[in-house]
Amino acid sequence: MAKEEVISDISRRKFLGTSTVLGLAGIGMSAGLSACKDGAQAAPGAAAPAPEHGAGHNPHKAPGQLDDYYGLWSGGHSGEMRVLGLPSGREIKRIPVFNMDCLSGWGITNESKAILGTKPDGTPKYMVGDTHHVHASYAKGTYDGRYAWVNDKINSRLARIRLDTFECDKITELPNVQGFHGVFPDKRDPVDQSIDRTTRVFCGSEFHIPHPNDGHDLESPEKYGALFSCVDAETMEVRWQCKVDGNMDLVATSYDGKLAASNQYNVENGAHYEDMMSAERDACVFFNVARIEQAVKDGKFKTVGDSKVPVVDGTKAANADPKTALTAYVPVPKNPHGVNASPDAKYFICAGKLSPTATVIELDKVLAWFDGKLDDIKKTIVAEVELGLGPLHTAFDGRGNGYTTLFLDSQIVKWNLAEAIKFYGGDKNAKYVVDRLDVQFQPGHVNASMSETREADGQWLAVGCKFSKDRYLPVGPLHPENEQLVDITGDKMIHVADHPVYPEPHDFIIVKRDKIKTRQVYNLDDFPLALKDPKESRIERNGNKVTVYLASQAPAFSQREIKVKKGDEVTIILTNFDKVEDLTHGFAIPKYNVNFIVNPQETKSVTFKADKPGVYWCYCTHFCHALHLEMRSRLIVER
Ligand code: CUK
Ligand code: CUA
Ligand code: CA
């Protein structure tokens, strides 16, 4: 890197870093932030050595070469999920989830609307979503390739993505919560320990609301509450909820299935921003899953409003005795963000956000507290060390190191957990900071290949930078975000690639490609509406309801004319009889808001009111054949 570039890079970092710190200082946070002293550790502001040309593993994949990892990426307030190939960074798929998608017909077909939920008029119940956290199902402490889950923060929904088709198959709306943010599947059944795979998904909610939220207690925030939710991984039904003091944010689960936890930045129960920062310490709340399920079995629960979901009491007042407690509140410094489980299954790391520290909590000690064998919950903290300004999320390499994003410092800090524990235990010679790397700029989430499994392999680290500033051609006021790829195989982190991404990915996971086995074509037997044979194609009328049983086989639709009358309610059921992988057809009707695809051996349907007389050429939108353009059918709506 040329010297001028280094200088301009530093000044760009300063620009953003300073304005962000000033923003926080303006609301009285400067004291907490400037409390970061480096002591024996490397200075947070010190620039990491510029990567030499060619240093680090080459992430480039030659034409025709496959990637080594799937990256399952959140799409943020685009409402979708994305699939990248890593290390190349090539985007392979966008999975519509909480958004509308006119390529696949998500939000347009009857099948997708049934998953999304509809209003009485048949339109989707919600049109917007905000995905933050993607996590996948486990067996034996590693990914098993069945499912991924992603949350919708806006409307408190949990979506499940099948990893054989990379499509959303179920969406569950959580009752009586708002700001559903953190999500994490369990890694083993806490009750039946012989079931060594994901059985439940845990959901933390950020915003506290009146219970039920029906117009009462509007001006009494002290009566608001926040619920932790447990969803069944298979049925996607909400199994139970647990009321907590304060709020929740991100979620982590232990490898033995016994514990789930969520960081809390609002133990104050503040309704205004300043109130949420008045306490010096907030908390990480732990849930004793087996005890909660026993309480539900024993009928020790209430329900809220119209919801039938059992709600147990996890508040501090109701859980003072550790031996019966459902929850434990571990105090951690000011407004923490992010809780992550280390791949050795021993620790949860809570990042400080407004404190320059990360807190290491030992899980065996938390279990000991629940057993009455540890007198003080604070003793579960085995390290609390300074890392730099604005620590948010932590990833792991499987070699004992954590990689934490420093939002304000625009850095990744690599630190050794064992050394941090020694340092906190009094060994001031213990050097826990291993390396620092400047990133561009203001990183939020970070994750490493297989980081959240027992098979963390320490190959690649991806960093989700919230600001790309001037690293890409300008496209107007809105810039893309910047996903950076870092080689973490050596002692030093080496930044090897940048990729622009459409806002705003938050979390992501990096899964070895052999963990995922996808289907090549669908199975017609899975679709109740599918025609058995293209010869069965027909148009049926029942009063003013017209059903078109349509087949596609390149390059033709089975019905060349579809004749209906103005005012008819028309349902088109399209079965794609092509059997070749990727031989997909589309079906679009001008002026009727209809557009969707059918993949090989798949069936989809749409229903619309034929309210506009005229001729409408229904055409195949998906290039399928030399005669793709000729693949048409005429919708004739008689007046
Ligand atoms: S939150 Cu976005 S940077 Cu929603 Cu995971 Cu931390
Ligand atoms: Cu069928 Cu294009
Ligand atoms: Ca707080």
Side-chain angles (χ1 to χ4, degrees):
M1 200 188 262
K3 201 173 171 204
E4 300 77 48
E5 284 175 48
V6 174
I7 290 167
S8 76
D9 185 59
I10 289 170
S11 59
R12 285 187 295 179
R13 292 184 56 248
K14 271 216 178 112
F15 171 79
L16 278 163
T18 315
S19 58
T20 321
V21 173
L22 282 178
L24 284 166
I27 47 116
M29 278 304 99
S30 56
L33 290 169
S34 60
C36 172
K37 288 188 209 77
D38 304 307
Q41 309 303 323
E52 288 157 32
H53 183 71
H57 282 149
N58 186 354
H60 180 68
K61 290 286 177 188
Q65 253 189 328
L66 295 183
D67 275 294
D68 308 316
Y69 298 88
Y70 285 95
L72 306 185
W73 244 252
S74 133
H77 43 305
S78 74
E80 66 191 10
M81 210 177 113
R82 300 170 193 160
V83 186
L84 310 187
L86 288 177
S88 76
R90 295 175 291 196
E91 185 179 284
I92 303 168
K93 188 170 187 178
R94 293 185 165 202
I95 306 171
V97 184
F98 302 112
N99 56 333
M100 306 281 117
D101 177 44
C102 58
L103 182 154
S104 62
W106 191 254
I108 296 165
T109 63
N110 295 331
E111 292 72 22
S112 61
K113 284 194 210 161
I115 294 169
L116 283 159
T118 52
K119 295 192 277 200
D121 70 356
T123 55
K125 190 173 175 193
Y126 305 112
M127 306 277 282
V128 293
D130 181 18
T131 64
H132 282 233
H133 300 108
V134 179
H135 292 291
S137 58
Y138 287 78
K140 298 187 173 73
T142 190
Y143 297 128
D144 67 358
R146 282 185 295 149
Y147 300 122
W149 286 272
V150 66
N151 71 305
D152 166 28
K153 180 166 167 175
I154 303 175
N155 295 310
S156 292
R157 290 174 293 173
L158 177 70
R160 185 173 74 184
I161 315 297
R162 285 170 55 157
L163 291 182
D164 60 343
T165 58
F166 282 83
E167 287 178 341
C168 173
D169 77 335
K170 275 187 190 291
I171 291 178
T172 297
E173 186 174 344
L174 306 177
N176 296 306
V177 301
Q178 248 174 55
F180 161 31
H181 190 206
V183 60
F184 217 105
D186 68 6
K187 302 181 181 108
R188 187 172 195 145
D189 192 312
V191 182
D192 181 351
Q193 287 269 297
S194 70
I195 303 174
D196 196 358
R197 64 179 203 160
T198 293
T199 57
R200 300 157 173 80
V201 184
F202 299 107
C203 312
S205 62
E206 236 184 288
F207 310 150
H208 53 324
I209 52 170
H211 282 154
N213 194 17
D214 58 2
H216 78 283
D217 290 341
L218 297 176
E219 301 291 351
S220 315
E222 70 286 353
K223 290 189 188 152
Y224 298 179
L227 305 177
F228 184 72
S229 306
C230 173
V231 176
D232 189 285
E234 289 303 328
T235 65
M236 288 287 285
E237 278 163 20
V238 186
R239 293 168 76 125
W240 47 261
Q241 294 180 301
C242 178
K243 186 176 182 342
V244 303
D245 288 319
N247 75 335
M248 285 156 291
D249 196 9
L250 287 103
V251 174
T253 62
S254 65
Y255 281 85
D256 60 12
K258 291 177 184 167
L259 296 170
S262 184
N263 63 297
Q264 304 187 285
Y265 64 77
N266 189 15
V267 297
E268 301 90 339
N269 274 331
H272 304 111
Y273 156 77
E274 300 82 357
D275 306 334
M276 300 180 199
M277 286 178 289
S278 57
E280 265 320 303
R281 288 181 97 88
D282 284 276
C284 182
V285 55
F286 280 82
F287 299 88
N288 188 319
V289 181
R291 280 191 195 165
I292 290 174
E293 304 227 329
Q294 191 58 48
V296 171
K297 254 192 197 159
D298 297 344
K300 293 181 193 153
F301 62 81
K302 293 184 180 153
T303 56
V304 177
D306 299 337
S307 165
K308 302 250 174 336
V309 175
V311 179
V312 298
D313 188 351
T315 57
K316 277 184 196 165
N319 293 276
D321 179 5
K323 286 199 164 161
T324 55
L326 308 179
T327 51
Y329 295 76
V330 180
V332 295
K334 221 174 179 77
N335 290 41
H337 186 85
V339 54
N340 295 96
S342 63
D344 61 6
K346 288 186 190 160
Y347 309 108
F348 282 2
I349 316 290
C350 230
K353 191 167 80 186
L354 294 191
S355 156
T357 56
T359 302
V360 182
I361 301 166
E362 189 174 328
L363 301 183
D364 276 349
K365 294 203 155 103
V366 176
L367 290 172
W369 182 86
F370 275 119
D371 286 344
K373 290 178 192 146
L374 191 75
D375 61 332
D376 187 350
I377 192 70
K378 292 193 201 85
K379 290 184 182 163
T380 60
I381 295 172
V382 292
E384 198 161 274
V385 290
E386 287 191 6
L387 297 178
L389 296 184
L392 294 186
H393 297 282
T394 303
F396 305 92
D397 60 9
R399 299 187 293 269
N401 302 304
Y403 298 78
T404 301
T405 45
L406 301 175
F407 181 79
L408 297 178
D409 279 338
S410 274
Q411 276 188 340
I412 304 296
V413 53
K414 173 181 178 181
W415 55 291
N416 185 275
L417 269 69
E419 292 295 308
I421 292 167
K422 271 194 219 161
F423 182 87
Y424 187 75
D427 177 358
K428 295 300 163 198
N429 292 322
K431 281 247 192 300
Y432 57 87
V433 171
V434 181
D435 192 23
R436 292 179 186 276
L437 177 74
D438 288 342
V439 295
Q440 289 76 26
F441 304 90
Q442 259 74 34
H445 273 278
V446 66
N447 222 334
S449 41
M450 301 296 287
S451 168
E452 299 181 298
T453 74
R454 283 189 180 274
E455 298 178 326
D457 64 9
Q459 295 292 308
W460 298 106
L461 184 83
V463 187
C465 296
K466 298 290 183 194
F467 296 87
S468 61
K469 188 136 168 65
D470 47 7
R471 292 179 78 90
Y472 301 108
L473 288 174
V475 285
L478 176 70
H479 293 237
E481 293 189 28
N482 192 17
E483 305 294 62
Q484 299 193 303
L485 190 74
V486 178
D487 176 351
I488 54 166
T489 53
D491 286 341
K492 291 243 153 235
M493 294 176 276
I494 302 172
H495 170 207
V496 295
D498 277 15
H499 292 283
V501 283
Y502 190 59
E504 175 187 337
H506 289 249
D507 206 1
F508 42 85
I509 57 172
I510 303 171
V511 181
K512 262 206 174 119
R513 75 177 199 216
D514 61 10
K515 298 284 174 197
I516 291 176
K517 305 263 181 286
T518 57
R519 298 179 81 128
Q520 291 172 303
V521 296
Y522 288 81
N523 182 353
L524 281 185
D525 296 338
D526 293 344
F527 302 97
L529 294 178
L531 290 174
K532 297 283 167 269
D533 190 289
K535 288 195 208 88
E536 291 173 11
S537 172
R538 64 197 184 273
I539 299 174
E540 280 176 3
R541 174 177 286 279
N542 184 357
N544 65 348
K545 291 197 169 154
V546 177
T547 307
V548 182
Y549 295 89
L550 191 64
S552 63
Q553 248 176 330
F557 293 115
S558 55
Q559 303 287 335
R560 307 300 152 83
E561 269 102 40
I562 300 168
K563 221 176 250 179
V564 301
K565 293 191 174 64
K566 185 187 170 196
D568 284 345
E569 184 192 283
V570 181
T571 297
I572 292 177
I573 303 168
L574 175 55
T575 301
N576 182 0
F577 280 92
D578 278 307
K579 287 196 177 101
V580 180
E581 190 173 2
D582 200 30
L583 220 173
T584 293
H585 300 286
F587 192 82
I589 312 177
K591 316 296 180 195
Y592 275 98
N593 262 331
V594 170
N595 193 16
F596 64 101
I597 54 170
V598 274
N599 295 299
Q601 303 285 296
E602 185 182 34
T603 296
K604 282 184 188 164
S605 65
V606 287
T607 300
F608 60 94
K609 192 150 193 180
D611 53 2
K612 294 174 280 285
V615 169
Y616 302 92
W617 284 102
C618 309
Y619 70 98
C620 176
T621 48
H622 209 89
F623 215 107
C624 54
H625 191 275
L627 294 172
H628 157 75
L629 291 175
E630 288 80 352
M631 187 166 176
R632 301 195 228 160
S633 173
R634 237 174 353 142
L635 172 69
I636 296 167
V637 183
E638 298 170 340
R639 59 163 80 236

